[in-house]
């Protein structure tokens, strides 16, 4: 099994560790410290050696931070984790804070009215994060002071950094060899007058060099830093134990491999202007450059948009991966319908689904720990089942099943909400509103140039009209055998990145009633140019989404009275395509199940 069910959070250790950190900080002049869930590479997921937030507090969510002060330790989490954080931290010592509604600067001003210094480790905060915080604290008397890893200094059994092997990613799947990518991006650096760009995001480096790694479970990326020069050459700073001869040959003479501890020296040798992305580069690099008078310019990671705009080869590859994954889902759902009311548990769901994906002989990992929450657990948006929390499915429950696979040709992410026997009318109505929002996004056409913030409300409207909403984004970017959460594109009110052809996103509206049930339906979609329509503006380029995920949506949860004729037609058409594409990949018994599951409404 890729997924384990051990409890990785222990609230009982938090108070002692918090006291140790306060004692360590008390030796200096600091009033407190910020402990983020981040590493030097600013990826969403961190290796065990970098999971300082979980070690200190017990909270294991993928986003958040702790602000430790003498009299209070606030754990800042967004709407996805407000149920989870209360179950994972010692509430007598850690105080959950609703973020971003409550701003860190406002909270610090309230709890440090006399001012003082707050410690940060500049490796673990981005330039923009620290810049914004300093601006928000102006006039408060609160300052930020850089310190070298205070948490690491008291973490006596901190794991060693990972040394996962790197592999070559085939050019035929990428659609372009890494020499071509390097030349293409180098031309952009020359045009901007930048001698080199600093790359710190592991997925940017993996994409640029057509390599994949294994330093972080679920995300096939290597921990490394790189400098991309305006000549197209690259300096790659990586533990060379990760590289075999095949990878070295693939990288070739234009990619110089250097130890990670030479990264600082190479920055100091810079003769021109270095580009730094404020949103991903650590504050440490800015401080190093400022002290040593290295010329820097702020600009976007040059890999970010090219990586997001998938090549035709990448779209073709991930299309196949999604069909393979859809067949695995059908095998699972057929089994589920036979066993849902027999006393099976959440762990049984996770285990069976992983086996169905493994049966393809193509699964390399799961793309995240499967979320299988039944009944009240479904309202915990990023619930992870453990042996201690494992809950049997009970009649009347809804099950939120959010999962995905990592295949060499693609990364999948799909959510289906399933009934356990008959469920109530209220649950069906909420499910149907969520479905209406998902359909609205699938059917949307919009003028080129709009960003996620301009269109995400379309997927929320049916819920809003009923006085309901959900506290996560409508959709995130997705890579191709890379990270399941990939920027910079998102379907979010916070995203100002215009959507462009080739971008892959999730479409996942939901609804959650704490202590009762949860609902989420998710497909992955790719941005494409939309065909012209009669009477449309000839000069106006329109975009639309092409569906990538094919798997039945549970008809038993649909309230037909809430659907328009056009929405019913969409569901019937979607299910007809599921039958057409997936039936040839299924055994006869599962084909029969699929025919029933996709029968016209």
């Amino acid at each position: 099994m890729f997924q384990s069910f051990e409890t990785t959070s222990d609230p009982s250790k938090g108070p002692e560790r918090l006291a140790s950190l306060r004692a360590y900080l008390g030796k200096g002049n600091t009033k407190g410290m910020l402990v983020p869930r981040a590493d030097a590479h600013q990826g969403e997921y961190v290796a065990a050696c970098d999971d300082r937030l979980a070690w200190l507090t017990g909270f294991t969510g993928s986003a958040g931070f702790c602000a430790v002060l003498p009299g209070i330790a606030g754990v800042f989490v967004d709407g996805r984790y407000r149920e989870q954080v209360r179950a994972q931290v010692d509430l007598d010592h850690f105080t959950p804070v609703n973020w971003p509604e409550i701003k860190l600067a406002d909270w610090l001003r309230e709890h440090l009215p006399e001012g003082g210094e707050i410690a940060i480790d500049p490796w673990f905060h981005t330039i923009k994060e620290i810049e914004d915080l300093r601006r928000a604290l102006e006039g408060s008397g609160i300052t930020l002071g850089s310190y070298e890893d205070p948490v690491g200094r008291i973490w006596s059994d901190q794991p060693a950094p990972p040394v996962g092997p790197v592999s070559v990613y085939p050019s035929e799947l990428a659609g372009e060899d890494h020499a071509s990518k390097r030349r293409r991006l180098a031309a952009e650096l020359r045009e901007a007058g930048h001698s080199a760009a600093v790359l710190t995001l592991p997925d940017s480096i993996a994409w640029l060099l057509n390599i994949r790694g294994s330093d972080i479970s679920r995300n096939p990326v290597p921990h490394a830093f790189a400098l991309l020069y305006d000549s197209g050459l690259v300096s790659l700073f990586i533990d060379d134990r990760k590289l075999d001869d095949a990878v070295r040959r693939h990288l070739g003479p234009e990619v110089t491999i250097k130890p990670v501890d030479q990264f600082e020296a190479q920055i100091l040798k810079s003769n021109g202007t270095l580009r730094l992305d404020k949103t991903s580069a650590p504050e440490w690099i800015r401080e190093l450059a400022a002290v040593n008078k290295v010329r820097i310019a702020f600009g976007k990671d040059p890999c970010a948009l090219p990586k997001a705009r998938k090549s035709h080869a990448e779209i073709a590859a991930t299309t196949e991966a999604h069909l393979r994954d859809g067949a695995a889902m059908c095998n699972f759902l057929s089994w589920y319908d036979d066993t849902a009311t027999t006393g099976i548990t959440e762990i049984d769901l996770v285990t069976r689904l992983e086996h169905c994906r493994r049966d393809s002989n193509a699964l390399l990992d799961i793309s995240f720990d499967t979320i299988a929450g039944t009944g009240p657990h479904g309202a915990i948006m990023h619930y992870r089942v453990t042996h201690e929390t494992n809950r049997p499915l009970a009649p009347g429950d809804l099950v939120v099943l959010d999962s995905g696979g990592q295949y060499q040709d693609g990364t999948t992410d799909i959510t289906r909400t399933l009934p356990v026997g008959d469920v109530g009318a209220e649950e069906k109505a909420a499910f149907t509103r969520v479905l209406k929002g998902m359909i609205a996004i699938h059917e949307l056409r919009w003028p080129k140039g709009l960003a996620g913030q301009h269109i995400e409300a379309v997927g929320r409207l049916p819920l809003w009209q009923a006085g309901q909403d959900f506290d996560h984004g409508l959709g995130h970017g997705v890579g191709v055998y890379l990270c399941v959460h990939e920027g910079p594109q998102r379907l979010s009110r916070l995203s100002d990145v215009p959507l462009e052809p080739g971008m892959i996103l999730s479409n996942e509206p939901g609804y959650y009633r704490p202590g009762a049930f949860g609902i989420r339906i998710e497909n992955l979609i790719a941005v494409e140019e939309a065909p012209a329509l009669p009477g449309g503006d000839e000069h106006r380029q329109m975009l639309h989404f092409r569906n990538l995920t094919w798997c039945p949506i549970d008809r038993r949860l649909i309230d037909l009275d809430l659907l328009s004729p056009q929405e019913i037609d969409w569901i019937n058409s979607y299910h007809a395509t599921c039958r057409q594409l997936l039936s040839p990949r299924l055994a006869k018994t599962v084909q029969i199940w699929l025919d029933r599951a996709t029968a016209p409404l």
Side-chain angles (χ1 to χ4, degrees), residues 34 120 125-135 144 283 287:
L34 301 183
I120 63 163
H125 299 269
T126 67
I127 297 168
K128 185 179 188 304
E129 181 186 349
I130 296 304
E131 185 178 82
D132 290 348
L133 183 55
R134 285 198 168 110
R135 185 181 301 114
L144 304 179
E283 165 71 5
E287 292 182 3

Side-chain angles (χ1 to χ4, degrees), residues 125-163:
H125 299 269
T126 67
I127 297 168
K128 185 179 188 304
E129 181 186 349
I130 296 304
E131 185 178 82
D132 290 348
L133 183 55
R134 285 198 168 110
R135 185 181 301 114
L137 290 172
E138 286 178 358
S140 67
I142 300 172
T143 60
L144 304 179
S146 293
Y147 292 83
E148 183 182 347
D149 197 10
V151 173
R153 293 178 180 274
I154 63 171
W155 189 351
S156 59
D157 58 349
Q158 185 177 16
V163 192

Side-chain angles (χ1 to χ4, degrees), residues 19-135:
S20 296
L21 180 58
R22 282 176 169 149
Y24 180 85
L25 296 173
K27 297 175 183 177
N29 297 318
T30 63
K31 293 288 188 179
M33 182 180 178
L34 301 183
V35 180
R37 189 185 191 275
D39 60 18
H41 307 277
Q42 291 299 322
E44 179 180 5
Y45 297 95
V46 298
C49 63
D50 291 315
D51 208 352
R52 292 165 179 80
L53 181 63
W55 178 84
L56 177 67
T57 68
F59 172 65
T60 62
S62 65
F65 59 92
C66 184
V68 176
L69 301 181
I72 188 171
V75 183
F76 290 67
V77 295
D78 63 33
R80 296 170 294 173
Y81 296 110
R82 287 171 190 165
E83 292 282 306
Q84 178 177 333
V85 70
R86 293 186 175 277
Q88 288 191 319
V89 306
D90 185 323
L91 295 174
D92 290 332
H93 293 82
F94 295 96
T95 303
V97 181
N98 291 346
W99 172 80
E101 295 89 337
I102 298 175
K103 307 297 184 187
L104 173 59
D106 295 338
W107 187 88
L108 289 174
R109 286 172 181 269
E110 176 185 352
H111 294 284
L112 279 181
E114 73 284 1
E117 183 182 74
I118 299 295
I120 63 163
D121 186 322
W123 270 114
F124 306 137
H125 299 269
T126 67
I127 297 168
K128 185 179 188 304
E129 181 186 349
I130 296 304
E131 185 178 82
D132 290 348
L133 183 55
R134 285 198 168 110
R135 185 181 301 114

Side-chain angles (χ1 to χ4, degrees), residues 93-399:
H93 293 82
F94 295 96
T95 303
V97 181
N98 291 346
W99 172 80
E101 295 89 337
I102 298 175
K103 307 297 184 187
L104 173 59
D106 295 338
W107 187 88
L108 289 174
R109 286 172 181 269
E110 176 185 352
H111 294 284
L112 279 181
E114 73 284 1
E117 183 182 74
I118 299 295
I120 63 163
D121 186 322
W123 270 114
F124 306 137
H125 299 269
T126 67
I127 297 168
K128 185 179 188 304
E129 181 186 349
I130 296 304
E131 185 178 82
D132 290 348
L133 183 55
R134 285 198 168 110
R135 185 181 301 114
L137 290 172
E138 286 178 358
S140 67
I142 300 172
T143 60
L144 304 179
S146 293
Y147 292 83
E148 183 182 347
D149 197 10
V151 173
R153 293 178 180 274
I154 63 171
W155 189 351
S156 59
D157 58 349
Q158 185 177 16
V163 192
V166 171
S167 59
V168 175
Y169 192 67
S171 295
E172 57 268 26
L173 294 180
E176 184 180 14
D177 63 39
H178 70 85
S180 173
K181 290 180 180 181
R182 290 187 283 107
R183 288 192 295 268
R184 180 157 59 95
L185 271 56
E188 190 235 316
L189 292 178
R190 291 194 299 272
E191 185 178 346
H194 300 157
S195 60
V198 179
L199 305 181
T200 59
L201 289 173
D203 56 329
S204 288
I205 296 169
W207 174 85
L208 176 65
L209 299 178
N210 283 354
I211 57 176
R212 297 297 186 263
S214 52
D215 284 328
I216 306 175
S217 60
R218 320 295 180 243
N219 293 269
V221 295
H223 275 169
F225 299 104
L227 289 171
L228 169 65
Y229 300 99
D230 61 0
S231 63
L233 302 179
V234 165
S235 291
L236 176 64
F237 302 89
I238 190 169
D239 188 325
D240 66 1
R241 290 176 293 173
K242 302 177 185 181
L243 309 177
D244 63 15
D245 290 341
V247 173
R248 293 174 187 274
R249 286 193 300 272
H250 163 78
L251 294 174
E254 294 187 340
V255 178
T256 305
I257 299 164
K258 298 175 178 287
V260 176
D261 60 12
Q262 290 187 19
F263 183 49
E264 176 178 350
Q266 196 70 28
I267 290 175
L268 297 180
K269 290 178 184 177
S270 173
N271 294 320
T273 299
L274 286 181
R275 179 190 294 192
L276 291 179
D277 189 331
K278 286 185 180 183
T279 65
S280 57
E283 165 71 5
W284 177 86
I285 299 177
R286 188 204 63 78
E287 292 182 3
L288 176 71
V291 169
N292 293 278
K293 296 183 170 52
V294 176
R295 292 197 303 275
I296 61 172
F298 296 120
K300 293 297 183 184
D301 177 336
C303 301
L305 276 176
K307 173 168 57 69
R309 302 184 196 109
K310 305 297 182 286
S311 68
H312 293 303
E314 287 174 309
I315 292 293
T318 201
T319 297
E320 171 60 24
H322 278 80
L323 291 174
R324 183 188 309 118
D325 200 69
M329 284 293 301
C330 287
N331 288 328
F332 167 83
L333 292 172
S334 173
W335 168 85
Y336 174 87
D337 279 358
D338 288 340
T339 58
T341 57
T342 62
I344 60 173
T345 69
E346 294 166 335
I347 287 179
D348 293 327
L349 299 180
V350 176
T351 302
R352 180 72 180 199
L353 181 51
E354 184 171 320
H355 283 312
C356 289
R357 285 195 166 104
R358 282 179 176 273
D359 285 344
S360 70
N361 294 318
L363 186 70
L364 300 177
D365 200 345
I366 52 177
S367 48
F368 53 93
D369 279 351
T370 297
I371 299 166
T374 182
H377 288 168
I380 304 172
M381 297 172 201
H382 282 195
Y383 170 71
R384 175 183 173 273
V385 60
T386 67
H387 292 298
E388 287 73 24
T389 66
N390 188 28
R391 187 176 187 272
L393 279 60
D397 276 356
L398 289 178
V399 177

